[in-house]
Amino acid sequence: MENFQYVNPTKLIFGRNQVNDSLAGEVEAYGTRVLLVYGGGSIKKNGLYELVLEQLNLISNVQIVELSGVEPNPRLSTVNKGIQLIKENQLDFILAVGGGSVIDCAKAISVGAHYDGDVWDFVTGKAAPSSSIPLGTILTMAATGSEMNGNSVITNWDERDKRAFSSIHTYPKFSILDPQNTFSIPADQTVYGIVDLMSHVLEQYFHVSENAPVQERFGESILKTTIETAPKLLESPESYAYREVIMLNATFALNNMLSMGVKTDWATHMIEHAVSAVHDIPHGGGLAILFPHWMELVSETKPERVAQLGIRVFELDPANKNTRELAYETIQKLKEFWKTIGAPTKLSDYGIDNKEIDLMVKRSIVNKTIGNYVPLGENEVRQILERAL
Amino acid sequence: MENFQYVNPTKLIFGRNQVNDSLAGEVEAYGTRVLLVYGGGSIKKNGLYELVLEQLNLISNVQIVELSGVEPNPRLSTVNKGIQLIKENQLDFILAVGGGSVIDCAKAISVGAHYDGDVWDFVTGKAAPSSSIPLGTILTMAATGSEMNGNSVITNWDERDKRAFSSIHTYPKFSILDPQNTFSIPADQTVYGIVDLMSHVLEQYFHVSENAPVQERFGESILKTTIETAPKLLESPESYAYREVIMLNATFALNNMLSMGVKTDWATHMIEHAVSAVHDIPHGGGLAILFPHWMELVSETKPERVAQLGIRVFELDPANKNTRELAYETIQKLKEFWKTIGAPTKLSDYGIDNKEIDLMVKRSIVNKTIGNYVPLGENEVRQILERAL
């Protein structure tokens, strides 16, 4: 392992009816002037919006200002709108109700409200957050893990650029996870969430550090449990039991535990961010298309970890097969699994052709190469994108 | 799963030379008047004591008061001595350098110093801690997980009673884990630590809640990695690679992650605490003796989870075997493993006979029964103790 520091101060409040039981008390510990951030209005259809308002109104002298309409790939312009609302109304707490996009947007607002420059500076590394408005979340979709980490992914639509930053100051103070709040997620979004959480595990599983056997096994635990549960969930979308397993898995897939002491990869995510910055496709869909092609490319030179994944997670029998054969069999199994649950398999499923491939390659590569398991240059990224068309 | 809250604010600082790199800065964030708590003096032999003093003395105006000689089963009287030192010298930070006993003692001091009554009240439930002196730790032994949880086990030697309490106020602010600091742990202590960490996983693995597949697999991950690593570590006690795996496993075995959303067992620990309160034997030794007998008893009525453990961790082939046969085979495997690494197998190994069995039964059972997987009354506890003689 590499030397590391691990700290995760977010309080997870997990289970049935936790919004009723915990929300008011948790918010009140931090403030009474609340920016309520949410997305396209699905929380108004399923009753969660009303419940949240009802609970917030239990707080004496509460003031609520709303920022609604946060986009699936949340935009810098929306972040700036939120910052303005905070400043104009002197708000002291942010409550994000939604999935990863809403939470990521709220995180950027939380540190942006304490910064005089442009929030995009945090993405480019020109500045680092030094404090924030406290943030709480009510999660409505199992996918990004944003509810228990400091990461935020923001899209600068003017520049067609989608990038991430991370800070200790953007960890939610609390996150309320009631699996019931994911019952009404449409099937395609449920699938994207499953692909996203599995991809998070894979990005960390393909690390380049020696001697991290328990981190690898923790990752395999999440993958195996997800593979067992996902098809059953898609058949019974209102099963509390299946929803809770996927919800907890998504959180632990990206709460930093899997990356303790290891140098992780993340190339596929960088390519996907480039694709969806240029074409605005769903993140989970992009990952399902790209990850198998990334795995194929790295298996040409480093098939070992891919083979290990196949043996331990897909229960491949290693008898009479070499490592490369096992790796390719693993990739087939992964593709098959994602196809079975209804994920897309090629970029043309979204109508993407090779016209803007140059821009996607350029946006993928921030410095000279991306990823660590096998560092990829422009040629390799182009290969992956071309195979994925 | 059951509804749950999970929060763990401890900052883990893991790796080579982290005392040099991090100690002074971390302490300084909380205070300058330090109670330094340690045990029997092994840290004076291996150089850690000098290093800690050297680093603490980098803090301007630091004042250090020492509490040394904390016992392997830390005593209430020692806790009270520490509280007195804090009050007399108006100390504002506690640094525990040692294993679980030293840390547990420091935790009890940290909350006791902010409480006017008897610290034993926290154990009996007469009072609950409401604040504490901030605490940091430097871990020198992989075993109890105390470095990343709120638990403290204290022995009241006058009453021959050994009991635990837990509080959010006793989580260390930081814990420095350098595997090099465990190189000089004697072989028997290393073995006890391995048994202890495995027992912590097992107490939580034998939960009684529905639908916790990923928590179970996380537990299996720790057990499997420990079983692979422990024999190699005992052959090469100064292997950084083996020490770091065991150290991280011990921390994650009891940082509350495995018990998210499940009602756990802990009967074996309660019996062991009774045995070592009456006979002052090493905790890990007691657990190695008692756990297989607990498993045998519960397998008479509930062999399923034991069989699952055997299949997934000990790689038993389930073909042509019923669940009970698999359970007994699992118990044999576990016994064999602990025997191979040098753990004791019966209470008479410590010269314990049946003379004080009544007292041990009595001390095991706080209310009417203990444990959840199969609740045990006096008769069952007596059976386990008699079989273990």
Side-chain angles (χ1 to χ4, degrees):
Chain A
M1 298 179 213
E2 327 278 335
N3 282 8
F4 69 91
Q5 292 199 358
Y6 173 88
V7 60
N8 192 325
T10 299
K11 185 200 280 187
L12 215 59
I13 303 171
F14 194 104
R16 282 180 206 274
N17 306 325
Q18 292 279 28
V19 174
N20 310 51
D21 296 346
S22 302
L23 181 63
E26 293 292 333
V27 172
E28 220 169 1
Y30 299 99
T32 56
R33 303 173 64 83
V34 179
L35 180 69
L36 177 62
V37 183
Y38 57 99
S42 62
I43 63 167
K44 288 196 174 164
K45 286 177 208 137
N46 64 16
L48 182 56
Y49 174 79
E50 274 180 29
L51 174 62
V52 168
L53 282 192
E54 183 190 299
Q55 293 299 315
L56 288 178
N57 278 307
L58 297 175
I59 300 168
S60 57
N61 299 318
V62 75
Q63 191 192 333
I64 303 164
V65 175
E66 298 196 11
L67 173 68
S68 64
V70 174
E71 306 80 8
N73 286 316
R75 297 180 182 191
L76 183 59
S77 53
T78 311
V79 171
N80 286 328
K81 214 187 291 177
I83 293 171
Q84 207 183 332
L85 288 173
I86 299 250
K87 289 183 174 170
E88 277 170 13
N89 298 284
Q90 295 176 299
L91 305 179
D92 55 17
F93 189 78
I94 304 173
L95 180 65
V97 184
S101 300
V102 169
I103 297 172
D104 284 9
C105 178
K107 285 175 173 175
I109 295 169
S110 81
V111 286
H114 277 197
Y115 177 62
D116 284 334
D118 185 345
V119 166
W120 197 250
D121 292 349
F122 299 144
V123 159
T124 59
K126 200 179 139 189
S130 59
S131 71
S132 61
I133 306 266
L135 161 73
T137 87
I138 299 172
L139 187 66
T140 61
M141 186 175 160
T144 71
S146 191
E147 62 278 11
M148 201 183 185
N149 65 39
N151 308 343
S152 171
V153 181
I154 299 298
T155 297
N156 185 335
W157 196 246
D158 296 337
E159 316 230 338
R160 293 172 89 182
D161 205 359
K162 178 177 175 179
R163 303 259 288 276
F165 74 97
S166 193
S167 165
I168 188 67
H169 299 288
T170 45
Y171 279 74
K173 299 295 180 193
F174 64 84
S175 283
I176 300 181
L177 280 63
D178 180 345
Q180 296 173 116
N181 288 331
T182 67
F183 281 2
S184 57
I185 294 285
D188 61 338
Q189 295 291 327
T190 301
V191 170
Y192 297 147
I194 290 161
V195 174
D196 197 23
L197 90 84
M198 291 177 68
S199 300
H200 291 161
V201 175
L202 293 171
E203 297 283 17
Q204 298 167 91
Y205 192 74
F206 289 96
H207 66 79
V208 289
S209 305
E210 298 290 316
N211 200 45
V214 82
Q215 294 92 318
E216 290 167 20
R217 282 219 166 82
F218 284 158
E220 292 156 6
S221 299
I222 295 174
L223 291 173
K224 208 155 166 50
T225 318
T226 301
I227 290 167
E228 284 167 4
T229 309
K232 294 187 271 188
L233 167 58
L234 290 164
E235 277 189 21
S236 312
E238 301 209 355
S239 155
Y240 186 89
Y242 302 145
R243 288 282 184 191
E244 70 176 343
V245 169
I246 296 297
M247 201 167 201
L248 190 61
N249 279 359
T251 301
F252 274 74
L254 200 53
N255 74 351
N256 300 345
M257 185 180 78
L258 303 183
S259 57
M260 287 183 299
V262 296
K263 208 169 159 192
T264 53
D265 193 74
W266 294 100
T268 309
H269 263 71
M270 294 178 90
I271 303 173
E272 197 294 317
H273 285 174
V275 173
S276 62
V278 174
H279 293 285
D280 205 15
I281 68 168
H283 178 56
L287 290 169
I289 296 164
L290 293 166
F291 230 121
H293 294 289
W294 176 87
M295 264 190 210
E296 264 171 32
L297 189 124
V298 302
S299 291
E300 290 167 14
T301 50
K302 287 178 72 177
E304 295 77 12
R305 188 87 36 84
V306 185
Q308 174 181 305
L309 175 74
I311 294 166
R312 294 197 189 164
V313 171
F314 291 102
E315 295 178 10
L316 300 185
D317 180 358
N320 307 317
K321 286 171 209 153
N322 67 36
T323 313
R324 194 162 301 179
E325 287 165 337
L326 281 164
Y328 285 107
E329 215 176 305
T330 305
I331 298 165
Q332 292 316 310
K333 286 279 185 192
L334 179 66
K335 274 185 176 170
E336 222 173 274
F337 174 73
W338 279 345
K339 198 177 167 185
T340 316
I341 63 170
T345 57
K346 36 193 202 310
L347 291 173
S348 51
D349 292 349
Y350 288 116
I352 298 175
D353 56 23
N354 65 357
K355 269 188 215 126
E356 299 208 78
I357 208 162
D358 287 344
L359 182 59
M360 292 191 283
V361 170
K362 192 171 164 237
R363 282 278 178 271
S364 299
I365 299 191
V366 179
N367 292 310
K368 279 180 193 155
T369 61
I370 53 171
N372 291 305
Y373 188 72
V374 174
L376 310 179
E378 287 202 6
N379 282 342
E380 289 81 16
V381 172
R382 187 179 299 274
Q383 264 185 63
I384 290 172
L385 285 168
E386 281 173 352
R387 292 182 193 181
L389 282 172
Chain B
M1 298 180 211
E2 327 278 336
N3 282 8
F4 68 91
Q5 292 199 358
Y6 174 88
V7 61
N8 192 324
T10 300
K11 185 199 280 188
L12 215 60
I13 303 170
F14 194 103
R16 282 180 205 274
N17 306 325
Q18 292 279 27
V19 174
N20 309 51
D21 295 345
S22 302
L23 181 62
E26 292 292 332
V27 172
E28 219 168 0
Y30 299 100
T32 56
R33 302 174 66 83
V34 180
L35 180 69
L36 177 63
V37 183
Y38 57 98
S42 62
I43 63 167
K44 289 197 174 164
K45 285 177 210 138
N46 65 14
L48 182 57
Y49 174 80
E50 274 182 29
L51 175 63
V52 167
L53 283 192
E54 183 190 299
Q55 292 298 317
L56 287 178
N57 278 308
L58 297 176
I59 300 169
S60 57
N61 298 317
V62 74
Q63 191 191 333
I64 303 164
V65 175
E66 298 195 11
L67 173 67
S68 64
V70 174
E71 307 80 8
N73 286 317
R75 297 181 181 192
L76 183 60
S77 53
T78 311
V79 172
N80 286 328
K81 213 188 291 176
I83 293 171
Q84 207 184 331
L85 288 174
I86 298 251
K87 289 182 174 171
E88 278 171 13
N89 299 284
Q90 297 176 297
L91 305 180
D92 55 17
F93 189 78
I94 303 173
L95 180 65
V97 184
S101 299
V102 169
I103 297 173
D104 284 9
C105 178
K107 285 176 174 176
I109 295 169
S110 80
V111 287
H114 277 197
Y115 177 63
D116 283 335
D118 186 343
V119 166
W120 197 249
D121 292 349
F122 299 144
V123 159
T124 59
K126 200 180 141 190
S130 59
S131 71
S132 60
I133 305 265
L135 160 73
T137 86
I138 298 171
L139 187 66
T140 61
M141 188 176 158
T144 72
S146 191
E147 63 277 11
M148 201 184 185
N149 65 38
N151 309 341
S152 170
V153 181
I154 298 297
T155 297
N156 185 334
W157 196 245
D158 295 337
E159 316 228 338
R160 292 173 88 183
D161 205 357
K162 177 176 174 178
R163 302 259 289 275
F165 74 97
S166 191
S167 165
I168 188 68
H169 299 288
T170 45
Y171 279 74
K173 299 295 180 193
F174 64 84
S175 283
I176 299 181
L177 279 65
D178 180 346
Q180 296 173 118
N181 288 331
T182 67
F183 282 1
S184 57
I185 294 286
D188 63 338
Q189 295 291 328
T190 300
V191 170
Y192 296 146
I194 290 162
V195 173
D196 197 23
L197 90 84
M198 291 177 67
S199 300
H200 292 162
V201 175
L202 293 171
E203 297 282 18
Q204 297 168 91
Y205 192 74
F206 288 96
H207 65 80
V208 289
S209 305
E210 298 291 314
N211 200 45
V214 81
Q215 294 92 319
E216 290 168 19
R217 282 220 166 82
F218 285 157
E220 292 157 5
S221 298
I222 294 173
L223 291 173
K224 208 154 168 49
T225 318
T226 302
I227 290 168
E228 285 167 3
T229 309
K232 294 187 273 188
L233 167 58
L234 290 163
E235 275 188 22
S236 312
E238 301 209 355
S239 155
Y240 185 89
Y242 301 145
R243 288 282 185 191
E244 70 175 344
V245 169
I246 295 297
M247 200 166 202
L248 189 61
N249 279 358
T251 302
F252 274 75
L254 200 53
N255 74 352
N256 300 345
M257 185 179 79
L258 302 183
S259 58
M260 287 183 298
V262 296
K263 210 170 158 189
T264 52
D265 194 74
W266 294 101
T268 309
H269 263 73
M270 294 177 90
I271 304 173
E272 198 294 318
H273 285 174
V275 173
S276 61
V278 173
H279 292 285
D280 204 15
I281 67 168
H283 178 56
L287 290 170
I289 295 164
L290 294 166
F291 230 120
H293 294 288
W294 176 87
M295 263 189 211
E296 263 171 32
L297 189 123
V298 302
S299 292
E300 289 166 14
T301 51
K302 287 178 74 176
E304 295 77 12
R305 188 85 37 84
V306 185
Q308 174 182 305
L309 175 74
I311 294 167
R312 295 197 188 163
V313 172
F314 291 103
E315 294 177 11
L316 299 185
D317 180 358
N320 308 318
K321 287 171 208 153
N322 67 36
T323 313
R324 195 162 301 179
E325 287 165 338
L326 280 164
Y328 284 105
E329 214 176 306
T330 305
I331 296 165
Q332 292 316 312
K333 285 280 185 190
L334 179 66
K335 273 186 176 170
E336 223 174 274
F337 173 73
W338 280 343
K339 198 176 169 185
T340 315
I341 62 170
T345 58
K346 36 192 204 306
L347 291 172
S348 52
D349 292 347
Y350 289 116
I352 299 174
D353 56 23
N354 65 357
K355 269 188 216 127
E356 299 207 77
I357 208 161
D358 287 344
L359 182 58
M360 291 191 282
V361 171
K362 192 171 163 238
R363 282 278 178 270
S364 299
I365 299 190
V366 179
N367 292 310
K368 279 178 191 156
T369 62
I370 53 170
N372 291 306
Y373 188 72
V374 173
L376 310 178
E378 287 201 5
N379 282 341
E380 289 81 16
V381 172
R382 186 179 301 275
Q383 266 185 61
I384 289 172
L385 285 168
E386 281 173 352
R387 292 182 193 181
L389 283 171

